[in-house]
Amino acid sequence: MEKMGLTVYMLTGDNVGPAHTIARKANIGHYRSGVLPPDKAIFIEQPQQKGAQVAMVVTGINDIAALPQADLSNALVHV
C-alpha cells in the first residue's frame, strides 16, 4: 500500500518490541505500540480533520469500537 502512495500505520496495544518486529516484517513504516482501543478512534480522527480519508482494518474484537470513525473499515475477526 505504501508503494501506492498511501500512508500506513499499524496501531497496536502490544509492547514496542513485538510491534516493531511485526511492522518490520510487514514492511510497515509507521507504527504505534501500547495504543488502547479508544485511542485508536482519536488517532483516526486527526488526519480526517486535515481532510484525509482513513481506512481501518482490525483483527481483534476490542478494536471494533473504532471502526465507525474510519471512512472505510473492515474487520478480520476470528471467532
Side-chain angles (χ1 to χ4, degrees):
M1 288 187 283
E2 289 181 342
K3 289 180 182 178
M4 295 171 45
L6 302 172
T7 303
V8 177
Y9 277 88
M10 180 180 76
L11 305 177
T12 180
D14 291 335
N15 293 325
V16 68
H20 174 76
T21 300
I22 293 167
R24 187 182 36 132
K25 287 183 178 183
N27 292 318
I28 297 173
H30 306 282
Y31 68 92
R32 302 263 170 102
S33 61
V35 182
L36 299 174
D39 297 331
K40 293 177 183 182
I42 294 168
F43 185 90
I44 292 168
E45 187 178 14
Q46 292 170 348
Q48 287 175 323
Q49 290 176 345
K50 297 176 184 174
Q53 290 187 320
V54 178
M56 180 177 187
V57 176
V58 302
T59 59
I61 198 157
N62 62 327
D63 296 326
I64 289 177
L67 288 178
Q69 182 62 48
D71 298 297
L72 173 69
S73 56
N74 189 354
L76 306 172
V77 180
H78 301 279
V79 179

